[in-house]
Amino acid sequence: MTNPAPTQDQLKALVAEAALAHVPSGQVIGVGTGSTVDLFIDALAARVAAGSLVAAGAVSSSERSTQRLQRHGIAVVEASTVERLPVYVDGADEIDHQGHMIKGGGAALTREKIVADLAERFVCIADGSKLVEVLGRYPLPVEVVAMAVPQLVRRFAALGGRAVLRAGVLTDNGHPLLDVHGLSIHDPAAMEAEINQWPGVVTVGIFARHRAQVCLLGTLQGVRTLVF
Ligand code: 5RP
């Protein structure tokens, strides 16, 4: 009898475990947000409990991850007290073959970019379905200031995108989010820079300047490592 194909959750668990190889013992690390990162936090805690890794603490990118880290007894360190992190581990909604990502499906994009900015190395963990040729099939999350929403909707329309307010969601910073459908992001760095100039944009979910240096992808054949 052949084994059934692994589920998406099993693929996420596989890369969450594999990411531990990128975590230096005894140093504060950056921790992202999402279902894959939840599994990473669990794997990190198990490794610490087994005594094979010393956790000096984590800078967290969301209330969700903070709570999970603290439940496991891992100290959460304020980003404002840290000048540099050796590594930041986070998921992605899409990643291309150069390590550019769309992020923000979990509404944590602003803090994610702030923590990524502190890190020397971004290790992205994702199941294989997230790897794309061109970013944009996943609606682009953008954290915005509420009064700018109508003008930003018009600006995205001029780029060929349809921006939709994410219903019932405010970020940890108290802002609404737009999800922009229908963009084909062929030059992620240029589009990130352009959207960043628009008044009312807090953070755009294109991570080009803060792209991944390594991506661990969960595939049917096991963990595929992409180095950018
Ligand atoms: C949260 C994010 C997440 O990294 C992204 O949504 C992927 O999440 P998941 O691991 O649940 O697929 O950007 O803001």
Side-chain angles (χ1 to χ4, degrees):
M1 214 169 78
T2 53
N3 289 330
T7 63
Q8 198 179 24
D9 282 347
Q10 286 168 328
L11 296 178
K12 288 179 180 183
L14 196 66
V15 292
E17 184 74 30
L20 294 173
H22 295 263
V23 174
S25 196
Q27 294 191 46
V28 176
I29 63 164
V31 171
T33 300
S35 57
T36 318
V37 167
D38 283 349
L39 297 171
F40 168 71
I41 294 171
D42 296 348
L44 178 69
R47 193 64 70 85
V48 171
S52 48
L53 191 69
V54 175
V59 175
S60 166
S61 65
S62 64
E63 299 301 329
R64 167 180 172 164
S65 291
T66 294
Q67 284 177 16
R68 201 172 187 98
L69 287 159
Q70 288 176 335
R71 269 205 308 276
H72 280 301
I74 297 174
V76 173
V77 177
E78 287 298 324
S80 56
T81 66
V82 170
E83 276 185 33
R84 132 185 199 280
L85 296 165
V87 67
Y88 176 61
V89 179
D90 199 358
D93 298 304
E94 282 185 349
I95 181 161
D96 71 12
H97 290 268
Q98 287 75 45
H100 306 125
M101 294 167 283
I102 286 186
K103 292 185 46 55
L109 65 169
T110 297
R111 296 189 187 189
E112 289 173 343
K113 219 175 246 192
I114 291 169
V115 186
D117 192 52
L118 292 168
E120 284 176 1
R121 207 170 153 74
F122 190 133
V123 175
C124 175
I125 50 175
D127 69 86
S129 69
K130 307 284 183 72
L131 183 66
V132 298
E133 295 301 319
V134 177
L135 298 176
R137 188 131 51 107
Y138 190 92
L140 175 66
V142 187
E143 181 168 347
V144 299
V145 174
M147 70 181 281
V149 165
Q151 171 66 351
L152 290 172
V153 169
R154 287 188 288 270
R155 281 193 177 273
F156 279 114
L159 281 188
R162 187 171 56 85
V164 179
L165 200 59
R166 199 179 297 183
V169 175
L170 291 179
T171 67
D172 286 348
N173 313 306
H175 295 122
L177 283 159
L178 294 173
D179 290 309
V180 188
H181 299 250
L183 296 175
S184 281
I185 306 173
H186 290 277
D187 187 344
M191 192 177 282
E192 180 182 27
E194 165 67 18
I195 295 171
N196 272 335
Q197 304 300 320
W198 297 351
V201 168
V202 177
T203 303
V204 56
I206 300 172
F207 281 55
R209 288 185 70 108
H210 295 89
R211 70 195 174 97
Q213 276 71 52
V214 177
C215 180
L216 305 174
L217 274 183
T219 74
L220 297 183
Q221 291 72 42
V223 178
R224 181 175 167 201
T225 303
L226 307 177
V227 180
F228 308 105

